[in-house]
Amino acid sequence: MQAEHTLRKAGFSIRTGAPPPEVRTGCDLAISVPSQDVNAAEKILKENDIPILDVVFTFEEELPPLQLSQLVKKVDFGNYLMIRVGNMKLTFEKKGGIIVNISGGGCPDIPLLGLKMVGKPLDKAPQPNEVGYTLCAYTLQKAYEHAVEAWKKVRK
Amino acid sequence: MEKGEEIKMLLLTGTLPIEEKSLLVDKIKFDGKTLYIGDKMFGYDMISIGATAMMAAAATTCEALQLEPPMAAVAGDLGQGDGSTLLYTYLTEDASSTGASTITMHYILPIRRGFMEFIEMLDYWEKRPFMIADAGSMLIAKATGSCRKFDLFTPDAGEICFLADPEAGHPAYVKSLFFAIDTTDVPYLIQEAYKYNNAPRYLLVKGPTDFIVDEGKIIHTVSEPNIPVLEPIGGTGDTITGILSALIGGGYEPIKACLIAAKANRLAGQLANPTPATRVVEIINHIGRAVKEVLDIL
């Protein structure tokens, strides 16, 4: 997630998706850059102390895209709203925007995000992409973004 | 112990969200406020989503039923995989000496090589342990085609559609048609998971209705008491995994253990009178009573 942010900021044309099947572990994420930009991308990631796990050359169409926008459900619990994206759930209290629970996922950064985010209002909590490293955290980031949007609507 | 009696030992393994990266292997105890792993203490705030909830639930169940306390193998990991690597190494190189009869693998970063080395090493154990996986360990089992090396998975809605989708490498990649039915047509998803060998012999699918499955056949469903507000509470799936691990580790037959765990988890939730803002630790404190009550009526 940090690599995505850094490369985008540096002006690279990138795409986020699943790593090729032969190197995929389940909770990892790949960033594709045009092959002519690989060296420059590696350089900028190293300069920003972002480790590269592997570099794989593949055809772009072999990287299945993430379509998390199609994996969203909302459950209204009265004073609370639960946003579910894929396997991650974030629930907040409508009035104050306080994050009251985070559920789901399977990687070590999710319990950490639970400790850091629960009990804080949506606009003051650290965002998953600032703290997390895994695809579960990336998915939680999308749930967080949906929650922020939903909270804005509730406040209107 | 009688001569020839089988040794039963439950080993729970997962990462903790702490800076300290060293490996810790010791007995687990939970006193209602603090989780102890040996002398190391984890306070009330730490009993949350993940391995701490699973371990506290297992320890509570063991204590209520006067079973041997479970053992933990844990390491700190903040998501970069260092603690997870330590765990895979321990499981591969040292865990066989514990003689664990049941192992539950939980929040561990999926690292293909470390995971596969351990799974292959299991073939060399004197007696293969009963293998349970939840959370990240279930993801890597599917990603490596190793689901049949396990005995029991405990997927929730997001995870059963992931197991059902043969092409998904993570719940974030499932086809939207699977996602759309992940609480409404669970029997179909179960069927698909078995069709592609992406399920072990037993499944306990957690959701509005819990499904207990043996080789694709639904043996029990549990939907009462129905407490919808348990869904948003982080860790309520982990507590089911903890309860059933304790029961299987204590010698209960897997299907019966799943049934007791599914019912007891709901009952503990009901006893806590929860809202979506309830913390899982408040539910864990009712698990001992709930497990006993369920056993009394079964």
Side-chain angles (χ1 to χ4, degrees), chain B:
Chain B
M1 180 182 293
E2 295 293 322
K3 194 179 174 189
E5 190 178 331
E6 192 183 345
I7 296 168
K8 295 184 177 67
M9 202 276 269
L10 168 62
L11 179 66
L12 304 171
T13 181
T15 56
L16 301 177
I18 55 172
E19 292 281 354
E20 198 176 316
K21 303 294 192 295
S22 54
L23 179 79
L24 175 61
V25 181
D26 218 321
K27 282 190 179 173
I28 307 170
K29 188 175 181 295
F30 179 61
D31 67 5
K33 287 182 180 166
T34 305
L35 179 73
Y36 298 84
I37 300 176
D39 295 333
K40 186 98 182 161
M41 294 189 282
F42 300 93
Y44 202 76
D45 288 344
M46 285 288 291
I47 318 298
S48 181
I49 178 175
T52 51
M54 187 258 294
M55 289 177 183
T60 301
T61 305
C62 287
E63 194 175 334
L65 302 183
Q66 295 179 310
L67 302 169
E68 271 294 299
M71 291 285 290
V74 294
D77 194 324
L78 303 180
Q80 290 178 293
D82 30 22
S84 298
T85 301
L86 277 179
L87 285 179
Y88 288 126
T89 303
Y90 166 74
L91 289 168
T92 305
E93 296 178 3
D94 292 319
S96 69
S97 63
T98 64
S101 54
T102 304
I103 296 179
T104 300
M105 297 180 72
H106 208 237
Y107 277 73
I108 307 176
L109 192 73
I111 300 172
R112 181 176 285 262
R113 190 170 175 181
F115 174 82
M116 288 309 294
E117 282 177 353
F118 168 53
I119 292 303
E120 284 163 20
M121 186 53 67
L122 282 171
D123 291 335
Y124 295 92
W125 281 44
E126 200 174 314
K127 189 167 187 305
R128 194 180 177 85
F130 189 94
M131 293 295 298
I132 302 170
D134 189 15
S137 298
M138 199 161 51
L139 305 190
I140 183 74
K142 188 196 171 201
T144 56
S146 308
C147 297
R148 299 300 295 179
K149 298 278 188 181
F150 284 78
D151 299 286
L152 171 61
F153 284 174
T154 53
D156 63 12
E159 290 159 341
I160 187 60
C161 61
F162 156 71
L163 294 176
D165 186 341
E167 289 164 24
H170 183 276
Y173 295 111
V174 297
K175 293 183 194 77
S176 57
L177 65 99
F178 286 97
F179 183 76
I181 59 166
D182 65 6
T183 54
T184 55
D185 198 357
V186 177
Y188 169 73
L189 298 172
I190 289 169
Q191 214 176 52
E192 291 298 291
Y194 280 95
K195 190 163 123 187
Y196 295 103
N197 277 331
N198 287 326
R201 175 173 173 180
Y202 302 107
L203 284 181
L204 168 50
V205 185
K206 305 173 282 197
T209 296
D210 300 321
F211 291 82
I212 296 161
V213 186
D214 183 355
E215 287 296 15
K217 189 177 172 199
I218 296 166
I219 308 295
H220 297 291
T221 58
V222 180
S223 48
E224 297 294 334
N226 179 26
I227 326 254
V229 297
L230 290 182
E231 190 186 356
I233 301 171
T236 47
D238 304 321
T239 52
I240 293 192
T241 305
I243 298 167
L244 74 84
S245 296
L247 293 167
I248 292 172
Y252 283 75
E253 185 273 323
I255 291 290
K256 189 172 183 190
C258 288
L259 185 62
I260 297 166
K263 285 176 179 279
N265 202 59
R266 285 166 183 267
L267 181 56
Q270 188 179 46
L271 291 167
N273 192 23
T275 73
T278 296
R279 299 189 44 145
V280 71
V281 66
E282 297 169 52
I283 294 168
I284 294 170
N285 282 325
H286 295 281
I287 282 176
R289 179 180 155 190
V291 168
K292 284 182 186 170
E293 284 189 21
V294 169
L295 276 169
D296 283 345
I297 55 169
L298 273 183

Side-chain angles (χ1 to χ4, degrees), chain A residues 17-18 24-27 66 70-73 80 82 84 89 91 100-102 104-109 111 115 133-136, chain B residues 15 17 45-46 49 77-80 107 109-110 112 135-136 140 143 158 169-173 176 179 182 231-234 276 278:
Chain A
R24 193 181 301 165
T25 60
C27 214
L66 271 170
Q70 293 177 35
L71 306 181
V72 183
K73 286 181 183 173
Y80 305 90
M82 182 180 86
R84 181 176 156 214
K89 299 165 205 164
T91 305
V100 296
N101 257 305
I102 283 171
C107 288
D109 46 2
L115 293 178
Y133 296 91
T134 65
L135 187 46
C136 290
Chain B
T15 56
D45 288 344
M46 285 288 291
I49 178 175
D77 194 324
L78 303 180
Q80 290 178 293
Y107 277 73
L109 192 73
R112 181 176 285 262
I140 183 74
H170 183 276
Y173 295 111
S176 57
F179 183 76
D182 65 6
E231 190 186 356
I233 301 171
T278 296

Side-chain angles (χ1 to χ4, degrees), chain A residues 136-156:
Chain A
C136 290
Y138 188 86
T139 310
L140 182 61
Q141 172 69 23
K142 299 300 167 196
Y144 168 83
E145 289 166 8
H146 281 280
V148 170
E149 283 307 307
W151 187 39
K152 273 185 200 163
K153 284 181 193 162
V154 170
R155 289 159 91 186
K156 272 181 187 168

